[in-house]
Amino acid sequence: NALPRLLSRRVPSSTGPVPRSRHGHRAVAIRELVIIFGGGNEGIADELHVYNTATNQWFLPAVRGDIPPGCAAHGFVCDGTRILVFGGMVEYGRYSNDLYELQASRWLWKKVKPQPPSIGSLPCPRLGHSFSLYGNKCYLFGGLANESEDSNNNIPRYLNDFYELELQHGSGVVGWSIPMTKGILKDLGNPKMYIFGGMCGCRLNDLWELNIETMTWSRPETKGMVPLPRSLHTANVIGNKMYVFGGWVPQTMEDEISARDGEWKCTSSFSYLNLDTMEWIALNSDCQEDRKNLLPGPRAGHCAVAVGTRLYIWSGRDGYRKAWNNQVCCKDLWYLDTEKPPAPSQVQLIRATTNSFQVKWDEVSTVEGYLLQLNADSPAPTVTGGIVVPETALLNSQGIKLDLHSQTNHMVPNNVSPQTSANVAELHDLDIRTVNPDASVSSTVSSTQTMVTQQAVKTESSSTNGAVVKDETSLTTFSSKSEVAETTFIMPSTKVSTGHTNNSTMHLSKTTPLRQIATVKTRERQWYDVGIFKSNTALVSQYYLLPEEKSGLSNKVENADVPDYSLLKKQDFFPGTVYRFRVAAINGCGVGPFSKVSEFKTCIPGFPGAPSTVRITKSVDCIHLSWEPPVSPSGNILEYSAYLAIRTTQVHENPNQLVFMKIYCGLKTSCIVTAAQLSNAHVDYTSRPAIVFRISAKNERGYGPATQVRWLQGKVDTKFSVKWDLSAL
């Protein structure tokens, strides 16, 4: 049987101070950061290096405190934002049993002294041990000690002792203990620790399982091809799989595994153990050639660390048939995606024009791009003889005149005609979270024009007494032409094979650049590719059409030829038309599931745009809202309206259905919101806690799209009644 395909990627050249190649180093991950410490190559390294996987940058943090000496083959674990270092080799023949703690939030080192066990002695100095974290305890197993008092006369002693280190919450440790472990007991519901391979005078390939709750060791029975005996390899658990890569293995299968002086070599073999079925699966065997350099090369003493579901591998010793004193270290950095990415948030609309949308969605970590698709409210045109022919006429561009102020009731619910759209993207420098698309601010009038543009503001410090929009994507400047090809679009260049699952998730080929089939039928909807984008924002005004003879392509075809995007016809967006969007993230395993569908409408010509550059300034008993006037193609702006989302029983029962109260109507581009009005405000928790405002402009054609402003709050009482202290906001 063919081996499952290994989807590795070599990371291109990084920026910043790239650490020198080494072996015996260790790595942990804190969110998107990979922290590397120690190791050696012509001396033991004592620097702390950090690699940002999101920006492909290395940096050297300015550490302080009780900075530990350089060490190699040490224990290295991460608990939140603190890192613990135990043991390792500090110089040839001299090993350590010191324990250091690094608070990575401050880059502060501290040497800690745990209490000795009540029975027995402290762990002896060692290297090459297993040091793992579960809950508030670290577990230490085995390693190599030096029996000689003379560090130049190394007498190795292999260890199989087992210690437990209890941690204090946040910082510090309690002490060591020696748990009583016992025989074989099966209890599949408890957490487990696994140990595979290593050295004990010879290389091993045995698998051991420790039930942490019962402190019971067992040797589980496995299926499949067990990896060769090895040492200096890595083993990482991601999900329900343990990935084993590299290390030293016997030179030939004829070698006696028990031979202490048998020849050995570095390997690039890659396997995983399914911890549910206990079956070994080989991703890359020792005999598999890699002439195209598509896989990490043979190595030992490297580091491997999981960032989400992506496994990063860096450096290590490349010692094929080389003696210990004649080693060469690898300099390359690789990653392996172990599963498809999750679905992104719904597509969020930042701004709409008559023929384009600026959209965004929440970032998904460790992805290579995003596939954006749409379908139109009316049947999309097909390609006939190379000419784009619309199948239906344009919608009535006049629509229904909308006057939000003809209502006697100023409470405006959100649940209106499905023809309306909502522009819902938070624009600020904090974490972006999903915001469910709101509908129009109109309560009874169905309009083909009403939509909402959203941005978020956060008040500055009291010294400036103001608020500034954190505007990552401009709300004020728009080009009528598509800027996608010039900025974030990845133009595919080759054909690929595709496949589909029952939920219409689309898969990239595992051997080619990012590509995707152009249409998918889901529940009789025709989905069209807008493009594949590197970032989570896009300015789009066109989508791709398949030739008519290709439009009926079966979703179940695994190796169907897909036309090159550069050969496909493009269809421009029409004014006043509803488009539905969905987005999926892409990584080395293919295309993940699609997001929920969002629905937006292009503007109708002549209506004013949405107000922009909204600012909020605090006073003692009120706040001041101000904004910049929008472009108005049909005459001057006649008036502005501002609305505040308020608390009602309806909102309490369904937070996605906001109700707005009109708080201003006039010609000025500013208004005052009183403390009395704010006392009725609804605090929206769809992302960060915020008070929601909407501001729209009217010209002789009627009201244009509204700007939705989320005034970001600190910690707010989640009870239904909220007391506002403006001086504290």
Side-chain angles (χ1 to χ4, degrees):
N1 294 333
L3 295 175
R5 194 178 299 277
L6 184 64
L7 305 175
S8 295
R9 299 275 197 272
R10 182 169 182 167
V11 177
S13 298
S14 307
T15 58
V18 179
R20 71 181 190 269
S21 57
R22 64 194 64 192
H23 61 95
H25 52 291
R26 298 290 186 261
V28 294
I30 300 178
R31 292 187 292 273
E32 74 276 10
L33 301 180
V34 173
I35 295 97
I36 293 174
F37 180 67
N41 183 21
E42 299 179 358
I44 295 178
D46 59 0
E47 312 99 348
L48 188 79
H49 291 267
V50 181
Y51 173 68
N52 188 319
T53 61
T55 62
N56 193 25
Q57 291 178 313
W58 290 92
F59 66 92
L60 280 165
V63 296
R64 55 197 175 91
D66 305 325
I67 300 174
C71 56
H74 46 286
F76 202 51
V77 297
C78 181
D79 175 31
T81 57
R82 71 167 161 180
I83 297 170
L84 293 169
V85 180
F86 173 75
M89 180 172 69
V90 292
E91 62 182 48
Y92 179 77
R94 189 165 72 85
Y95 309 153
S96 168
N97 63 348
D98 291 334
L99 181 67
Y100 288 86
E101 176 187 272
L102 173 68
Q103 290 289 342
S105 58
R106 295 174 288 161
W107 302 118
L108 177 65
W109 282 105
K110 178 183 178 183
K111 187 174 182 179
V112 292
K113 295 183 178 180
Q115 294 293 322
S118 57
I119 301 176
S121 59
L122 288 166
C124 67
R126 65 188 68 202
L127 62 77
H129 44 282
S130 168
F131 195 56
S132 305
L133 174 76
Y134 179 76
N136 69 330
K137 294 179 181 178
C138 289
Y139 297 94
L140 169 67
F141 175 76
L144 182 69
N146 184 1
E147 286 282 78
S148 173
E149 296 181 0
D150 181 5
S151 60
N152 294 320
N153 181 25
N154 195 7
I155 303 176
R157 177 168 64 96
Y158 293 97
L159 306 170
N160 69 341
D161 51 357
F162 184 67
Y163 286 84
E164 185 179 82
L165 175 65
E166 185 178 353
L167 310 181
Q168 291 178 349
H169 179 71
S171 178
V173 297
V174 178
W176 293 102
S177 62
I178 303 176
M180 294 296 295
T181 58
K182 45 188 181 294
I184 297 176
L185 172 69
K186 287 291 183 182
D187 185 354
L188 299 178
N190 291 341
K192 311 290 197 309
M193 184 176 78
Y194 293 90
I195 292 177
F196 174 76
M199 283 282 289
C200 185
C202 60
R203 286 171 178 81
L204 306 170
N205 68 340
D206 52 346
L207 176 71
W208 288 87
E209 173 187 288
L210 174 68
N211 186 315
I212 294 176
E213 296 293 335
T214 62
M215 283 295 154
T216 304
W217 286 103
S218 62
R219 291 192 63 176
E221 295 182 4
T222 62
K223 297 176 287 187
M225 182 179 294
V226 179
L228 290 175
R230 65 192 62 214
S231 63
L232 300 183
H233 54 289
T234 52
N236 300 80
V237 174
I238 302 176
N240 67 335
K241 298 179 179 67
M242 180 174 71
Y243 293 84
V244 175
F245 173 70
W248 295 112
V249 298
Q251 175 62 43
T252 63
M253 289 302 295
E254 289 76 22
D255 284 350
E256 289 292 332
I257 291 178
S258 61
R260 294 178 181 269
D261 298 320
E263 289 196 34
W264 35 259
K265 65 175 182 179
C266 268
T267 181
S268 60
S269 63
F270 215 144
S271 301
Y272 71 78
L273 176 66
N274 185 314
L275 300 176
D276 293 332
T277 64
M278 300 310 291
E279 180 177 8
W280 285 103
I281 302 294
L283 296 171
N284 180 42
S285 69
D286 283 292
C287 347
Q288 190 170 336
E289 292 189 25
D290 181 28
R291 295 179 180 178
K292 296 182 180 180
N293 195 29
L294 298 176
L295 306 170
R299 66 193 68 204
H302 52 284
C303 70
V305 61
V307 178
T309 59
R310 177 174 284 182
L311 185 66
Y312 282 86
I313 297 167
W314 181 69
S315 201
R317 178 193 302 163
D318 173 11
Y320 183 78
R321 285 187 178 275
K322 290 183 174 65
W324 286 83
N325 60 355
N326 188 25
Q327 66 232 7
V328 177
C329 287
C330 311
K331 300 179 180 179
D332 48 354
L333 173 65
W334 293 76
Y335 67 79
L336 168 76
D337 285 313
T338 61
E339 58 185 61
K340 292 179 183 178
S345 65
Q346 285 180 280
V347 178
Q348 304 162 1
L349 184 59
I350 298 171
R351 181 95 181 245
T353 68
T354 56
N355 60 358
S356 69
F357 294 112
Q358 187 172 8
V359 295
K360 75 180 303 181
W361 48 90
D362 288 359
E363 286 186 341
V364 178
S365 62
T366 62
V367 298
E368 298 174 356
Y370 301 91
L371 171 66
L372 182 64
Q373 291 186 334
L374 66 75
N375 75 3
D377 198 28
S378 56
T382 57
V383 179
T384 306
I387 301 174
V388 176
V389 181
E391 291 184 352
T392 59
L394 293 178
L395 296 178
N396 182 355
S397 62
Q398 298 298 320
I400 300 174
K401 186 174 180 181
L402 174 64
D403 186 350
L404 298 180
H405 310 289
S406 61
Q407 312 298 323
T408 56
N409 182 1
H410 286 177
M411 288 191 178
V412 185
N414 224 14
N415 50 341
V416 297
S417 165
Q419 297 296 316
T420 59
S421 298
N423 301 15
V424 286
E426 289 192 355
L427 306 183
H428 56 108
D429 57 0
L430 303 173
D431 289 343
I432 306 298
R433 297 287 183 264
T434 302
V435 181
N436 292 325
D438 304 322
S440 158
V441 295
S442 169
S443 61
T444 58
V445 181
S446 174
S447 167
T448 57
Q449 174 59 19
T450 308
M451 58 187 67
V452 182
T453 302
Q454 176 166 300
Q455 63 191 57
V457 294
K458 183 178 182 180
T459 53
E460 294 181 331
S461 63
S462 57
S463 60
T464 60
N465 194 30
V468 178
V469 176
K470 306 297 185 180
D471 194 350
E472 294 175 349
T473 51
S474 173
L475 286 175
T476 58
T477 305
F478 256 81
S479 170
S480 60
K481 66 183 182 69
S482 173
E483 298 175 359
V484 172
E486 301 171 6
T487 54
T488 59
F489 186 70
I490 305 172
M491 181 59 72
S493 58
T494 58
K495 298 180 180 181
V496 299
S497 61
T498 61
H500 305 285
T501 61
N502 291 335
N503 63 358
S504 297
T505 299
M506 302 164 65
H507 304 260
L508 289 178
S509 165
K510 296 179 175 17
T511 57
T512 57
L514 299 177
R515 292 287 286 111
Q516 191 49 259
I517 189 168
T519 62
V520 176
K521 289 183 178 179
T522 305
R523 297 180 182 176
E524 299 182 353
R525 284 182 179 176
Q526 190 78 26
W527 288 96
Y528 297 86
D529 283 8
V530 179
I532 297 175
F533 300 88
K534 287 184 178 179
S535 70
N536 64 325
T537 61
L539 175 60
V540 295
S541 60
Q542 298 174 317
Y543 56 95
Y544 290 94
L545 300 173
L546 276 181
E548 191 171 8
E549 63 273 14
K550 299 267 187 177
S551 61
L553 218 59
S554 170
N555 293 344
K556 297 182 180 180
V557 176
E558 289 291 332
N559 295 301
D561 280 343
V562 180
D564 193 315
Y565 278 143
S566 62
L567 303 178
L568 294 178
K569 294 291 182 180
K570 298 178 183 179
Q571 173 62 53
D572 292 333
F573 291 173
F574 295 137
T577 303
V578 173
Y579 294 92
R580 299 173 186 88
F581 288 88
R582 66 181 188 180
V583 64
I586 306 167
N587 67 10
C589 289
V591 178
F594 280 95
S595 66
K596 294 180 180 179
V597 176
S598 298
E599 185 176 289
F600 312 122
K601 178 188 278 189
T602 48
C603 296
I604 298 174
F607 285 85
S612 60
T613 320
V614 179
R615 296 177 182 272
I616 296 178
T617 308
K618 294 184 300 182
S619 295
V620 176
D621 57 351
C622 65
I623 65 169
H624 298 262
L625 282 177
S626 63
W627 55 89
E628 294 293 333
V631 175
S632 177
S634 301
N636 296 327
I637 299 296
L638 301 180
E639 65 183 24
Y640 297 95
S641 287
Y643 292 82
L644 169 68
I646 59 171
R647 298 191 310 273
T648 66
T649 305
Q650 177 184 348
V651 176
H652 185 62
E653 294 173 351
N654 186 358
N656 295 329
Q657 296 293 329
L658 300 182
V659 174
F660 286 82
M661 176 180 68
K662 184 166 60 178
I663 56 175
Y664 171 75
C665 179
L667 279 172
K668 292 183 179 180
T669 57
S670 64
C671 70
I672 292 175
V673 186
T674 66
Q677 291 171 324
L678 286 173
S679 65
N680 293 319
H682 165 70
V683 180
D684 178 44
Y685 285 92
T686 53
S687 57
R688 294 182 181 272
I691 299 172
V692 182
F693 298 96
R694 285 180 177 175
I695 306 165
S696 58
K698 178 184 177 183
N699 64 10
E700 61 185 26
R701 295 290 303 275
Y703 270 89
T707 297
Q708 178 161 298
V709 183
R710 303 187 75 254
W711 183 28
L712 300 179
Q713 305 295 302
K715 293 183 178 180
V716 180
D717 189 354
T718 57
K719 294 180 181 179
F720 204 58
S721 60
V722 180
K723 293 183 179 180
W724 295 102
D725 179 4
L726 287 173
S727 63
L729 291 176

